[in-house]
Amino acid sequence: MKKAKNNNLTDLDQFIEKEYGKRGTKKREDFEAGYEVFKLGSILHEARLAKGLTQEELAAKVGKNKSFHFTKNS
């Protein structure tokens, strides 16, 4: 069975450019930076769960309290 092509679909790059502008614009760069922080947090979360650590246990291992948030300036 042949699928009909949906011309209303856009790919992710097109969507991001439409919503946040071209690379190099402030809005796009802010979006990209925010995504990198989100991605790092997600990786850290998955690694913590894989090791069976709670947030408190991980915080103790890195010398911070549970409410500490990692940022570029931390």
Side-chain angles (χ1 to χ4, degrees):
M1 176 186 266
K2 189 174 180 181
K3 288 186 177 182
K5 186 175 180 181
N6 187 338
N7 291 329
N8 293 326
L9 295 177
T10 59
D11 67 22
L12 182 59
D13 290 331
Q14 291 169 329
F15 174 79
I16 292 171
E17 189 167 302
K18 180 181 176 191
E19 294 295 315
Y20 300 99
K22 294 191 180 292
R23 290 187 183 271
T25 62
K26 177 159 178 32
K27 187 175 180 181
R28 177 66 178 266
E29 294 302 313
D30 289 347
F31 168 78
E32 297 285 346
Y35 175 70
E36 290 301 315
V37 171
F38 169 79
K39 190 166 59 172
L40 180 59
S42 182
I43 291 168
L44 181 59
H45 178 256
E46 290 297 318
R48 178 181 63 78
L49 293 178
K51 291 290 186 180
L53 296 172
T54 65
Q55 289 177 333
E56 292 88 356
E57 291 167 334
L58 177 60
K61 287 185 175 290
V62 297
K64 301 292 180 182
N65 63 37
K66 178 185 167 189
S67 65
F68 179 79
H69 294 280
F70 291 93
T71 64
K72 289 192 295 187
N73 298 324
S74 295

